[in-house]
Amino acid sequence: MGDHQLLKLVRMRHKALVRVMFVFVVLLALLNTGESLNTYHEQQKNTMTFTQFIEEKKRAAKYHDTSLVNESYATYLKEQRYFVMPQRDKLYSSLVVGQIITIIHYAIPLLLGLAMAGMDQASSFNVAMFKSRFKRRQFFAARYWYGLTCLLGTTTLGIGILLLGIFAGVPTEYVGISGLNILGLLMMNLAIDSFLFTVGIGVGSIFSTLFGMFVFGLFGGWLGASAIQRFMVYNAVNHRSYWSLLPRGDQLFLLLFILALTISVAGYWLTRWLFDRISLENEGDILLLPKLRWVIFVYALIVVPFNFGDWLFQNELLSYSVSIIGVLALGLWWLHRERAQEQLMVR
Protein backbone atom coordinates (compact mmCIF):
# COMPACT_ATOMS: atom_id res chain seq x y z
CA MET A 1 0.00 0.00 0.00
CA GLY A 2 2.84 2.35 0.82
CA ASP A 3 4.58 1.87 -2.53
CA HIS A 4 1.30 2.36 -4.36
CA GLN A 5 0.65 5.61 -2.50
CA LEU A 6 4.16 6.83 -3.23
CA LEU A 7 3.87 6.10 -6.94
CA LYS A 8 0.50 7.85 -7.03
CA LEU A 9 2.03 10.87 -5.29
CA VAL A 10 4.91 10.99 -7.77
CA ARG A 11 2.48 10.79 -10.69
CA MET A 12 0.40 13.64 -9.31
CA ARG A 13 3.54 15.64 -8.66
CA HIS A 14 4.99 15.33 -12.16
CA LYS A 15 1.84 14.89 -14.22
CA ALA A 16 1.96 18.43 -15.63
CA LEU A 17 5.64 18.10 -16.55
CA VAL A 18 5.05 14.78 -18.31
CA ARG A 19 2.10 16.26 -20.20
CA VAL A 20 4.24 19.14 -21.43
CA MET A 21 6.89 16.68 -22.57
CA PHE A 22 4.26 14.54 -24.29
CA VAL A 23 2.74 17.46 -26.20
CA PHE A 24 6.17 18.76 -27.20
CA VAL A 25 7.37 15.39 -28.51
CA VAL A 26 4.16 14.72 -30.45
CA LEU A 27 4.17 18.20 -31.99
CA LEU A 28 7.84 17.77 -32.87
CA ALA A 29 7.05 14.44 -34.55
CA LEU A 30 4.21 15.98 -36.55
CA LEU A 31 6.36 18.93 -37.62
CA ASN A 32 9.23 16.64 -38.60
CA THR A 33 6.83 14.46 -40.58
CA GLY A 34 5.45 17.41 -42.51
CA GLU A 35 8.88 18.86 -43.16
CA SER A 36 10.33 15.51 -44.27
CA LEU A 37 7.46 14.81 -46.67
CA ASN A 38 7.59 18.35 -48.03
CA THR A 39 11.33 18.02 -48.63
CA TYR A 40 10.83 14.68 -50.40
CA HIS A 41 8.10 15.99 -52.71
CA GLU A 42 10.12 19.11 -53.50
CA GLN A 43 13.00 16.81 -54.37
CA GLN A 44 10.76 14.99 -56.85
CA LYS A 45 9.65 18.25 -58.44
CA ASN A 46 13.23 19.44 -58.86
CA THR A 47 14.55 16.27 -60.48
CA MET A 48 17.00 17.23 -63.21
CA THR A 49 16.51 16.24 -66.82
CA PHE A 50 19.24 14.35 -68.63
CA THR A 51 20.55 17.57 -70.18
CA GLN A 52 20.59 19.34 -66.83
CA PHE A 53 22.34 16.37 -65.26
CA ILE A 54 25.13 16.44 -67.87
CA GLU A 55 25.55 20.19 -67.39
CA GLU A 56 25.73 19.70 -63.63
CA LYS A 57 28.43 17.05 -64.04
CA LYS A 58 30.48 19.40 -66.20
CA ARG A 59 30.05 22.21 -63.69
CA ALA A 60 31.09 19.91 -60.84
CA ALA A 61 34.18 18.75 -62.75
CA LYS A 62 35.12 22.37 -63.40
CA TYR A 63 35.21 23.04 -59.67
CA HIS A 64 36.96 19.71 -58.92
CA ASP A 65 33.84 18.22 -57.32
CA THR A 66 34.08 14.43 -57.73
CA SER A 67 30.67 13.57 -56.25
CA LEU A 68 29.07 13.08 -59.69
CA VAL A 69 32.04 11.75 -61.66
CA ASN A 70 31.09 8.07 -61.61
CA GLU A 71 27.33 8.51 -61.23
CA SER A 72 25.02 7.73 -64.13
CA TYR A 73 21.72 9.41 -64.85
CA ALA A 74 19.86 6.17 -64.06
CA THR A 75 21.54 6.00 -60.64
CA TYR A 76 20.67 9.63 -60.02
CA LEU A 77 16.99 9.01 -60.82
CA LYS A 78 16.95 6.00 -58.51
CA GLU A 79 18.42 8.02 -55.66
CA GLN A 80 15.93 10.81 -56.23
CA ARG A 81 12.94 8.48 -55.95
CA TYR A 82 13.97 7.06 -52.59
CA PHE A 83 13.14 8.82 -49.35
CA VAL A 84 16.18 7.08 -47.83
CA MET A 85 18.60 4.99 -49.81
CA PRO A 86 18.02 1.38 -48.70
CA GLN A 87 20.32 -0.22 -46.16
CA ARG A 88 18.01 -3.14 -45.49
CA ASP A 89 20.58 -5.56 -44.10
CA LYS A 90 21.84 -3.13 -41.47
CA LEU A 91 20.61 -2.74 -37.93
CA TYR A 92 22.07 0.75 -37.70
CA SER A 93 21.37 2.99 -40.66
CA SER A 94 22.89 6.44 -40.33
CA LEU A 95 20.55 7.72 -43.05
CA VAL A 96 17.44 6.60 -41.16
CA VAL A 97 18.73 7.91 -37.84
CA GLY A 98 19.66 11.24 -39.42
CA GLN A 99 16.15 11.62 -40.83
CA ILE A 100 14.30 10.81 -37.61
CA ILE A 101 16.48 11.57 -34.56
CA THR A 102 17.50 15.22 -34.36
CA ILE A 103 19.58 17.11 -31.81
CA ILE A 104 16.36 18.02 -29.98
CA HIS A 105 15.77 14.35 -29.23
CA TYR A 106 19.02 14.31 -27.27
CA ALA A 107 17.96 17.30 -25.17
CA ILE A 108 14.48 16.05 -24.20
CA PRO A 109 15.48 13.16 -21.86
CA LEU A 110 18.25 15.22 -20.25
CA LEU A 111 15.97 18.19 -19.58
CA LEU A 112 13.15 15.97 -18.32
CA GLY A 113 15.47 14.29 -15.82
CA LEU A 114 16.83 17.64 -14.66
CA ALA A 115 13.35 19.12 -14.40
CA MET A 116 11.91 16.23 -12.39
CA ALA A 117 14.78 16.13 -9.90
CA GLY A 118 15.23 19.90 -9.80
CA MET A 119 11.55 20.64 -9.26
CA ASP A 120 11.42 18.36 -6.23
CA GLN A 121 14.54 19.91 -4.75
CA ALA A 122 13.68 23.56 -5.46
CA SER A 123 10.18 23.25 -3.98
CA SER A 124 11.44 21.49 -0.81
CA PHE A 125 9.42 18.43 -1.78
CA ASN A 126 12.49 16.29 -1.15
CA VAL A 127 12.68 17.59 2.40
CA ALA A 128 9.05 16.69 3.02
CA MET A 129 9.58 13.20 1.61
CA PHE A 130 12.74 12.68 3.66
CA LYS A 131 10.82 13.46 6.83
CA SER A 132 7.93 11.19 5.93
CA ARG A 133 7.66 7.45 6.43
CA PHE A 134 8.67 6.69 2.87
CA LYS A 135 12.20 5.48 2.30
CA ARG A 136 14.44 7.60 0.11
CA ARG A 137 15.30 4.71 -2.17
CA GLN A 138 11.63 3.97 -2.76
CA PHE A 139 10.97 7.61 -3.57
CA PHE A 140 13.94 7.81 -5.94
CA ALA A 141 13.00 4.56 -7.70
CA ALA A 142 9.35 5.60 -8.08
CA ARG A 143 10.30 8.95 -9.61
CA TYR A 144 12.98 7.50 -11.87
CA TRP A 145 10.94 4.66 -13.34
CA TYR A 146 7.82 6.78 -13.74
CA GLY A 147 9.78 9.42 -15.65
CA LEU A 148 11.71 6.94 -17.80
CA THR A 149 8.59 4.93 -18.65
CA CYS A 150 6.69 8.04 -19.72
CA LEU A 151 9.70 9.25 -21.69
CA LEU A 152 10.22 5.97 -23.54
CA GLY A 153 6.54 5.64 -24.31
CA THR A 154 6.31 9.18 -25.64
CA THR A 155 9.46 9.13 -27.77
CA THR A 156 8.51 5.73 -29.20
CA LEU A 157 5.11 7.17 -30.08
CA GLY A 158 6.83 10.13 -31.73
CA ILE A 159 9.00 7.83 -33.84
CA GLY A 160 5.91 5.79 -34.73
CA ILE A 161 4.06 8.91 -35.89
CA LEU A 162 6.98 9.92 -38.07
CA LEU A 163 7.36 6.45 -39.59
CA LEU A 164 3.62 6.14 -40.28
CA GLY A 165 3.65 9.55 -41.92
CA ILE A 166 6.57 8.56 -44.13
CA PHE A 167 5.00 5.26 -45.20
CA ALA A 168 1.70 7.05 -45.88
CA GLY A 169 3.21 9.93 -47.84
CA VAL A 170 5.89 8.09 -49.84
CA PRO A 171 5.33 5.13 -52.18
CA THR A 172 6.19 2.00 -50.22
CA GLU A 173 8.78 0.77 -52.71
CA TYR A 174 10.68 4.06 -52.37
CA VAL A 175 10.66 4.49 -48.60
CA GLY A 176 13.93 2.60 -48.18
CA ILE A 177 13.42 1.78 -44.48
CA SER A 178 13.40 -1.88 -43.49
CA GLY A 179 12.16 -3.60 -40.36
CA LEU A 180 15.76 -4.12 -39.25
CA ASN A 181 16.41 -0.39 -39.59
CA ILE A 182 13.36 0.35 -37.43
CA LEU A 183 14.55 -2.10 -34.77
CA GLY A 184 17.93 -0.36 -34.69
CA LEU A 185 16.19 3.01 -34.47
CA LEU A 186 14.13 1.89 -31.46
CA MET A 187 17.25 0.45 -29.81
CA MET A 188 19.04 3.75 -30.29
CA ASN A 189 16.06 5.60 -28.85
CA LEU A 190 16.17 3.33 -25.79
CA ALA A 191 19.89 3.93 -25.33
CA ILE A 192 19.60 7.72 -25.71
CA ASP A 193 16.61 8.02 -23.39
CA SER A 194 17.99 5.81 -20.63
CA PHE A 195 21.49 7.30 -20.69
CA LEU A 196 20.57 11.00 -20.85
CA PHE A 197 17.59 10.70 -18.50
CA THR A 198 19.86 9.02 -15.95
CA VAL A 199 22.39 11.82 -16.35
CA GLY A 200 19.66 14.42 -15.86
CA ILE A 201 18.29 12.73 -12.76
CA GLY A 202 21.80 12.32 -11.38
CA VAL A 203 22.76 15.96 -11.85
CA GLY A 204 19.43 17.17 -10.51
CA SER A 205 19.75 14.95 -7.45
CA ILE A 206 23.14 16.15 -6.22
CA PHE A 207 22.90 19.90 -6.87
CA SER A 208 20.85 21.97 -4.46
CA THR A 209 19.92 24.85 -6.78
CA LEU A 210 18.63 25.21 -10.31
CA PHE A 211 21.65 27.42 -11.03
CA GLY A 212 24.01 24.61 -10.12
CA MET A 213 22.02 22.04 -12.05
CA PHE A 214 21.91 23.95 -15.30
CA VAL A 215 25.24 25.79 -15.19
CA PHE A 216 27.44 23.07 -13.73
CA GLY A 217 25.36 20.16 -14.97
CA LEU A 218 24.49 21.16 -18.53
CA PHE A 219 27.62 23.18 -19.23
CA GLY A 220 29.81 20.52 -17.64
CA GLY A 221 28.06 17.80 -19.62
CA TRP A 222 28.52 19.73 -22.85
CA LEU A 223 32.22 20.19 -22.11
CA GLY A 224 32.57 16.50 -21.33
CA ALA A 225 30.85 15.45 -24.56
CA SER A 226 33.01 17.87 -26.55
CA ALA A 227 36.16 16.55 -24.89
CA ILE A 228 35.20 12.96 -25.71
CA GLN A 229 34.53 13.91 -29.33
CA ARG A 230 37.85 15.75 -29.51
CA PHE A 231 39.64 12.75 -28.00
CA MET A 232 38.04 10.34 -30.48
CA VAL A 233 38.89 12.53 -33.47
CA TYR A 234 42.47 12.95 -32.23
CA ASN A 235 42.94 9.20 -31.84
CA ALA A 236 41.25 8.45 -35.15
CA VAL A 237 43.72 10.73 -36.94
CA ASN A 238 46.91 10.07 -35.00
CA HIS A 239 46.44 6.46 -33.89
CA ARG A 240 44.70 4.80 -36.79
CA SER A 241 46.30 1.44 -36.02
CA TYR A 242 44.51 1.32 -32.65
CA TRP A 243 41.30 2.74 -34.08
CA SER A 244 41.20 -0.02 -36.66
CA LEU A 245 40.89 -2.60 -33.87
CA LEU A 246 37.37 -1.39 -33.07
CA PRO A 247 34.45 -3.22 -34.70
CA ARG A 248 32.53 -1.62 -37.53
CA GLY A 249 28.92 -1.29 -38.60
CA ASP A 250 26.33 -3.17 -36.58
CA GLN A 251 28.95 -4.66 -34.28
CA LEU A 252 30.06 -1.20 -33.20
CA PHE A 253 26.42 -0.15 -32.82
CA LEU A 254 25.68 -3.12 -30.56
CA LEU A 255 28.81 -2.42 -28.53
CA LEU A 256 27.79 1.20 -27.98
CA PHE A 257 24.20 0.15 -27.23
CA ILE A 258 25.33 -2.28 -24.52
CA LEU A 259 27.77 0.30 -23.16
CA ALA A 260 25.06 2.98 -22.93
CA LEU A 261 22.68 0.65 -21.10
CA THR A 262 25.44 -0.53 -18.77
CA ILE A 263 26.37 3.05 -17.88
CA SER A 264 22.68 3.85 -17.37
CA VAL A 265 22.22 0.95 -14.95
CA ALA A 266 25.41 1.85 -13.07
CA GLY A 267 24.37 5.51 -12.99
CA TYR A 268 20.96 4.59 -11.60
CA TRP A 269 22.38 2.57 -8.71
CA LEU A 270 25.08 5.14 -7.98
CA THR A 271 22.64 8.05 -7.97
CA ARG A 272 20.19 6.14 -5.80
CA TRP A 273 23.00 5.35 -3.37
CA LEU A 274 24.03 9.02 -3.24
CA PHE A 275 20.42 10.18 -2.92
CA ASP A 276 20.06 7.98 0.15
CA ARG A 277 22.96 9.87 1.79
CA ILE A 278 21.91 13.47 1.13
CA SER A 279 22.03 15.63 4.24
CA LEU A 280 19.37 18.28 4.71
CA GLU A 281 21.98 20.51 6.33
CA ASN A 282 23.57 21.22 2.93
CA GLU A 283 20.57 22.86 1.27
CA GLY A 284 22.33 26.21 1.18
CA ASP A 285 25.40 24.79 -0.56
CA ILE A 286 25.89 24.20 -4.26
CA LEU A 287 26.06 20.45 -3.71
CA LEU A 288 23.83 18.43 -1.44
CA LEU A 289 26.83 16.13 -0.98
CA PRO A 290 29.77 18.53 -0.49
CA LYS A 291 32.41 15.81 -0.76
CA LEU A 292 31.52 15.40 -4.43
CA ARG A 293 33.09 18.79 -5.16
CA TRP A 294 36.49 17.10 -5.33
CA VAL A 295 35.18 14.76 -8.01
CA ILE A 296 33.89 17.76 -9.95
CA PHE A 297 37.21 19.60 -9.53
CA VAL A 298 39.17 16.66 -10.91
CA TYR A 299 36.67 16.29 -13.75
CA ALA A 300 36.97 19.99 -14.61
CA LEU A 301 40.78 19.92 -14.46
CA ILE A 302 40.80 17.11 -17.01
CA VAL A 303 37.96 18.17 -19.28
CA VAL A 304 38.26 21.96 -19.50
CA PRO A 305 41.93 22.30 -20.58
CA PHE A 306 41.71 19.36 -23.00
CA ASN A 307 38.44 20.59 -24.49
CA PHE A 308 39.67 24.11 -25.21
CA GLY A 309 43.15 23.06 -26.35
CA ASP A 310 45.36 25.85 -27.69
CA TRP A 311 42.62 28.48 -27.60
CA LEU A 312 44.94 31.30 -26.46
CA PHE A 313 47.31 32.52 -29.19
CA GLN A 314 47.53 28.90 -30.40
CA ASN A 315 49.99 28.23 -27.60
CA GLU A 316 49.27 24.97 -25.78
CA LEU A 317 51.37 25.73 -22.69
CA LEU A 318 49.81 29.15 -22.21
CA SER A 319 46.30 27.92 -23.01
CA TYR A 320 46.45 24.93 -20.67
CA SER A 321 47.94 27.07 -17.89
CA VAL A 322 45.20 29.69 -18.12
CA SER A 323 42.48 27.02 -18.27
CA ILE A 324 43.84 25.25 -15.18
CA ILE A 325 44.15 28.55 -13.30
CA GLY A 326 40.55 29.36 -14.21
CA VAL A 327 39.32 26.01 -12.87
CA LEU A 328 41.33 26.44 -9.66
CA ALA A 329 39.94 29.97 -9.22
CA LEU A 330 36.41 28.62 -9.57
CA GLY A 331 37.23 25.95 -7.00
CA LEU A 332 38.55 28.53 -4.53
CA TRP A 333 35.41 30.62 -5.00
CA TRP A 334 33.33 27.52 -4.34
CA LEU A 335 35.20 26.72 -1.11
CA HIS A 336 35.00 30.35 0.04
CA ARG A 337 31.26 30.40 -0.59
CA GLU A 338 30.68 27.22 1.40
CA ARG A 339 32.78 28.45 4.32
CA ALA A 340 30.89 31.74 4.39
CA GLN A 341 27.63 29.80 4.39
CA GLU A 342 28.82 27.61 7.27
CA GLN A 343 29.82 30.66 9.33
CA LEU A 344 26.44 32.24 8.67
CA MET A 345 24.66 29.10 9.87
CA VAL A 346 26.79 29.02 13.04
CA ARG A 347 25.80 32.59 13.86
Side-chain angles (χ1 to χ4, degrees), residues 132-205:
S132 69
R133 60 188 178 84
F134 292 116
K135 294 181 179 179
R136 294 189 185 189
R137 293 186 178 184
Q138 289 179 318
F139 170 51
F140 179 83
R143 181 177 62 188
Y144 179 90
W145 291 114
Y146 172 68
L148 184 58
T149 302
C150 293
L151 176 67
L152 282 172
T154 305
T155 53
T156 303
L157 175 63
I159 291 174
I161 291 172
L162 188 51
L163 289 173
L164 287 174
I166 291 171
F167 277 97
V170 178
T172 306
E173 63 270 24
Y174 295 125
V175 171
I177 301 176
S178 68
L180 197 62
N181 298 154
I182 295 175
L183 176 60
L185 184 65
L186 294 176
M187 290 173 63
M188 186 170 183
N189 180 63
L190 171 62
I192 291 172
D193 282 357
S194 59
F195 176 75
L196 291 177
F197 180 76
T198 303
V199 172
I201 284 286
V203 171
S205 297

Side-chain angles (χ1 to χ4, degrees), residues 286-306:
I286 295 176
L287 283 172
L288 294 172
L289 293 163
K291 291 182 179 180
L292 287 178
R293 63 174 175 263
W294 302 112
V295 177
I296 295 176
F297 287 166
V298 173
Y299 172 81
L301 283 172
I302 295 173
V303 167
V304 173
F306 180 76

Side-chain angles (χ1 to χ4, degrees), residues 3 6 8 18 81 88 119 122 131 152 167 176 184 219 221 231 248 275 277 304-306 320 332 342:
D3 292 345
L6 179 58
K8 184 178 180 180
V18 169
R81 293 191 186 101
R88 303 186 187 282
M119 186 171 68
K131 294 179 179 179
L152 282 172
F167 277 97
F219 186 65
F231 177 78
R248 292 287 187 270
F275 189 76
R277 285 155 177 78
V304 173
F306 180 76
Y320 275 72
L332 290 174
E342 290 175 359

Side-chain angles (χ1 to χ4, degrees), residues 18-59:
V18 169
R19 285 177 176 174
V20 171
M21 182 269 298
F22 177 85
V23 172
F24 182 80
V25 171
V26 171
L27 287 177
L28 178 64
L30 293 173
L31 289 173
N32 283 349
T33 303
E35 184 179 355
S36 299
L37 292 177
N38 183 62
T39 302
Y40 173 77
H41 291 302
E42 285 294 325
Q43 177 180 302
Q44 304 311 302
K45 292 179 182 178
N46 297 325
T47 301
M48 292 185 290
T49 63
F50 179 75
T51 304
Q52 291 173 330
F53 179 75
I54 297 300
E55 291 177 354
E56 184 64 26
K57 287 189 70 171
K58 291 179 180 178
R59 189 180 299 111

Side-chain angles (χ1 to χ4, degrees), residues 74-277:
T75 303
Y76 163 74
L77 288 178
K78 182 180 179 181
E79 291 177 351
Q80 284 291 104
R81 293 191 186 101
Y82 276 104
F83 178 80
V84 173
M85 285 301 294
Q87 293 180 323
R88 303 186 187 282
D89 59 339
K90 291 186 177 182
L91 187 63
Y92 173 75
S93 171
S94 58
L95 298 174
V96 175
V97 171
Q99 285 283 350
I100 296 177
I101 295 184
T102 65
I103 189 65
I104 300 177
H105 290 87
Y106 292 88
I108 291 171
L110 179 63
L111 292 177
L112 179 65
L114 273 173
M116 290 185 71
M119 186 171 68
D120 287 343
Q121 175 58 31
S123 62
S124 299
F125 184 71
N126 281 350
V127 176
M129 292 301 297
F130 292 167
K131 294 179 179 179
S132 69
R133 60 188 178 84
F134 292 116
K135 294 181 179 179
R136 294 189 185 189
R137 293 186 178 184
Q138 289 179 318
F139 170 51
F140 179 83
R143 181 177 62 188
Y144 179 90
W145 291 114
Y146 172 68
L148 184 58
T149 302
C150 293
L151 176 67
L152 282 172
T154 305
T155 53
T156 303
L157 175 63
I159 291 174
I161 291 172
L162 188 51
L163 289 173
L164 287 174
I166 291 171
F167 277 97
V170 178
T172 306
E173 63 270 24
Y174 295 125
V175 171
I177 301 176
S178 68
L180 197 62
N181 298 154
I182 295 175
L183 176 60
L185 184 65
L186 294 176
M187 290 173 63
M188 186 170 183
N189 180 63
L190 171 62
I192 291 172
D193 282 357
S194 59
F195 176 75
L196 291 177
F197 180 76
T198 303
V199 172
I201 284 286
V203 171
S205 297
I206 63 175
F207 284 95
S208 61
T209 63
L210 293 176
F211 173 81
M213 293 174 199
F214 283 91
V215 173
F216 289 92
L218 289 181
F219 186 65
W222 173 75
L223 286 178
S226 299
I228 292 173
Q229 184 181 20
R230 180 183 174 90
F231 177 78
M232 292 177 67
V233 171
Y234 173 81
N235 279 274
V237 173
N238 296 284
H239 301 284
R240 293 183 180 180
S241 58
Y242 296 103
W243 195 255
S244 62
L245 297 176
L246 288 175
R248 292 287 187 270
D250 284 349
Q251 292 181 341
L252 178 60
F253 172 73
L254 289 172
L255 175 64
L256 294 176
F257 174 75
I258 294 171
L259 182 63
L261 291 186
T262 302
I263 294 174
S264 300
V265 172
Y268 166 78
W269 288 106
L270 176 61
T271 307
R272 201 180 83 161
W273 182 80
L274 292 173
F275 189 76
D276 197 37
R277 285 155 177 78

